Amino acid sequence: MKNKFKLLLAAVVLVAFGCKHKIEDNALSLSPEAGTSYKQGDKVNLKLHYANGSTPDSIVYFIDSTRIASVKDSSVVAVKTDTMLLGPRVFTAKFYQGGKSVDASTNIVLLAAKAPEQLTFKVIKKFPHDTSAYTEGILYKDGFLYESTGGDQSSLRKVDLVTGKVVQQVKLDKKYFDEHQVKMNKEYFGEGISIIGDKILMLDYKQPETALVFDKNTFKLLKTFTNNVGIEGWGMTFDGKKLYVDDSSNRIWFLNKDTYQQSGYIDVYDDKHAIDSVNELEYINNKIYANIYMRNDIIVIDPKTGAVLQKVDMSSLWPLKDHPAHFDDDGQNVLNGIAWDEKGKRLFITGKKWPYLYQVEFVKK
């Protein structure tokens, strides 16, 4: 009888022990605290917290669903951030016990390692610019400027740099698209452009999913393609291998130059926060130059991580005091337009309906 009682007691203890130490979802927590900010290069110390006496078979750690480490206990796992993309990163720990697993997650925001270098500029020369051109994208190629304009004057233009005169143009209105049998659900609003070989690609702000492909020499519309990334169609540039496009946020998407399908992205951050409203883009010497919509800043971005490396205040380029009466009444005629002459190493800056296109040089303060 005594032996039966002892066996029964032992069984009860074993069951109680097993129930006590079975891990449930709410028994786990993962540090650091969600939303903690780090700077690129900092180490993130991950630690899974669970009930005393619980023994995992293993704990496996992931970052954004990619496995990064496995341990047998609550040891700290130090994660390097040197080459990580900036922005929100999600960490998950899987607690394995008895063939089952329970997850705990946390997230951080990864910022640029240091504040952007502050630059200034000097004007080398200025050229006339068409004041009817609501500039959305502009680039320099083979001795000419190529410019996309938006609003009710949406167009693709080829412009003589010295005189500012339009030498070739297509106006992108309902009549044009009807003639080319292109169905548009909304009025076309020209945005960023890029040249790839003998083609010009152009985004649309109001109907971002419909992008246009023109013959570079004739401006004949060759086809449309579906732009399936982002909130809106804004800026675009090309590095010789892939396209970069933005969408009004702080994200810059990568597109395959042949299929126009997404191949990745970066989120743009300085050492303090996300930089939203990244707009017109230009790829220069392995960096992305961008203006910030409705601001007088141009930033230089690391295309591998999204870090803002440099910042230039352009507010004195064409000061407000020099603007004609009523020019800024709608608040829209802002700095917008960066073009780079690769052969001549010349940088050009303009704005929406500005009377000038400026050749400038960025210099250290």
Side-chain angles (χ1 to χ4, degrees):
M1 188 69 180
K2 284 183 178 181
N3 287 338
K4 286 184 178 181
F5 178 77
K6 288 179 179 179
L7 287 172
L8 180 60
L9 181 62
V12 170
V13 169
L14 284 172
V15 170
F17 183 86
C19 291
K20 180 179 179 182
H21 297 288
K22 181 181 177 181
I23 293 294
E24 303 293 343
D25 288 343
N26 59 7
L28 296 177
S29 64
L30 181 61
S31 59
E33 183 180 354
T36 302
S37 294
Y38 288 81
K39 292 187 177 180
Q40 192 176 45
D42 293 346
K43 285 185 179 179
V44 179
N45 292 319
L46 300 176
K47 182 177 175 63
L48 184 65
H49 305 273
Y50 49 86
N52 290 335
S54 299
T55 304
D57 298 327
S58 66
I59 301 171
V60 181
Y61 288 91
F62 298 81
I63 175 171
D64 297 334
S65 76
T66 299
R67 178 174 170 149
I68 55 173
S70 177
V71 296
K72 295 289 187 181
D73 52 30
S74 61
S75 302
V76 170
V77 173
V79 181
K80 294 181 179 180
T81 62
D82 306 67
T83 58
M84 256 184 220
L85 295 177
L86 303 187
R89 304 269 71 89
V90 177
F91 295 98
T92 301
K94 282 185 174 290
F95 183 102
Y96 287 92
Q97 186 184 65
K100 296 182 179 181
S101 68
V102 180
D103 294 0
S105 295
T106 190
N107 61 79
I108 67 165
V109 178
L110 190 61
L111 306 173
K114 58 184 180 180
E117 180 185 17
Q118 300 294 314
L119 301 180
T120 186
F121 67 91
K122 58 182 179 180
V123 175
I124 307 300
K125 196 172 183 179
K126 69 179 182 180
F127 303 90
H129 180 249
D130 184 359
T131 54
S132 73
Y134 191 77
T135 306
E136 294 292 356
I138 192 165
L139 51 85
Y140 182 92
K141 188 76 172 178
D142 301 330
F144 291 93
L145 292 166
Y146 291 82
E147 186 170 13
S148 62
T149 64
D152 57 5
Q153 298 292 326
S154 288
S155 66
L156 174 64
R157 304 174 172 200
K158 183 178 181 180
V159 179
D160 182 275
L161 171 65
V162 176
T163 66
K165 299 295 184 182
V166 176
V167 297
Q168 190 175 354
Q169 178 177 210
V170 287
K171 294 182 179 180
L172 305 174
D173 52 19
K174 185 178 186 302
K175 179 182 177 182
Y176 177 83
F177 288 109
D178 286 346
E179 288 175 352
H180 289 79
Q181 298 181 332
V182 176
K183 184 179 179 181
M184 300 297 290
N185 298 326
K186 299 178 181 179
E187 179 185 352
Y188 198 84
F189 196 111
E191 277 282 354
I193 55 173
S194 284
I195 292 177
I196 301 180
D198 59 356
K199 298 180 178 66
I200 299 176
L201 278 59
M202 187 183 210
L203 296 176
D204 176 18
Y205 161 62
K206 290 193 173 182
Q207 193 168 305
E209 67 276 11
T210 303
L212 307 179
V213 182
F214 299 91
D215 181 280
K216 173 177 171 287
N217 298 313
T218 66
F219 280 15
K220 178 183 177 182
L221 180 63
L222 301 176
K223 64 177 181 177
T224 65
F225 70 89
T226 300
N227 174 35
N228 59 1
V229 299
I231 305 165
E232 297 173 342
W234 278 36
M236 182 181 349
T237 192
F238 180 54
D239 69 358
K241 296 180 180 179
K242 61 177 174 289
L243 286 159
Y244 301 84
V245 301
D246 56 35
D247 67 346
S248 81
S249 68
N250 72 315
R251 180 158 291 182
I252 297 176
W253 304 87
F254 307 156
L255 300 186
N256 181 283
K257 69 180 180 66
D258 299 312
T259 65
Y260 313 127
Q261 296 300 301
Q262 178 194 345
S263 60
Y265 65 86
I266 53 173
D267 290 330
V268 181
Y269 279 80
D270 64 13
D271 60 318
K272 294 183 175 62
H273 45 64
I275 306 299
D276 290 319
S277 300
V278 177
N279 195 6
E280 227 274 287
L281 305 175
E282 185 79 358
Y283 192 84
I284 305 172
N285 296 332
N286 301 314
K287 302 291 187 296
I288 298 173
Y289 285 57
N291 72 263
I292 310 303
Y293 184 53
M294 301 298 286
R295 284 165 52 184
N296 290 312
D297 296 329
I298 289 178
I299 57 174
V300 181
I301 304 164
D302 184 337
K304 294 181 180 179
T305 66
V308 179
L309 305 175
Q310 296 170 317
K311 181 179 177 182
V312 193
D313 180 359
M314 306 295 297
S315 57
S316 62
L317 180 61
W318 187 39
L320 284 174
K321 65 180 179 61
D322 295 337
H323 292 195
H326 309 301
F327 181 79
D328 302 291
D329 283 356
D330 62 0
Q332 300 296 311
N333 299 329
V334 293
L335 177 83
N336 197 82
I338 308 170
W340 175 243
D341 172 11
E342 175 64 35
K343 292 181 180 179
K345 306 303 177 186
R346 294 182 295 174
L347 179 62
F348 304 107
I349 307 292
T350 191
K352 300 175 185 294
K353 298 187 177 182
W354 282 21
Y356 306 111
L357 175 99
Y358 298 86
Q359 180 185 339
V360 303
E361 181 182 338
F362 291 162
V363 294
K364 291 183 178 182
K365 283 189 173 181

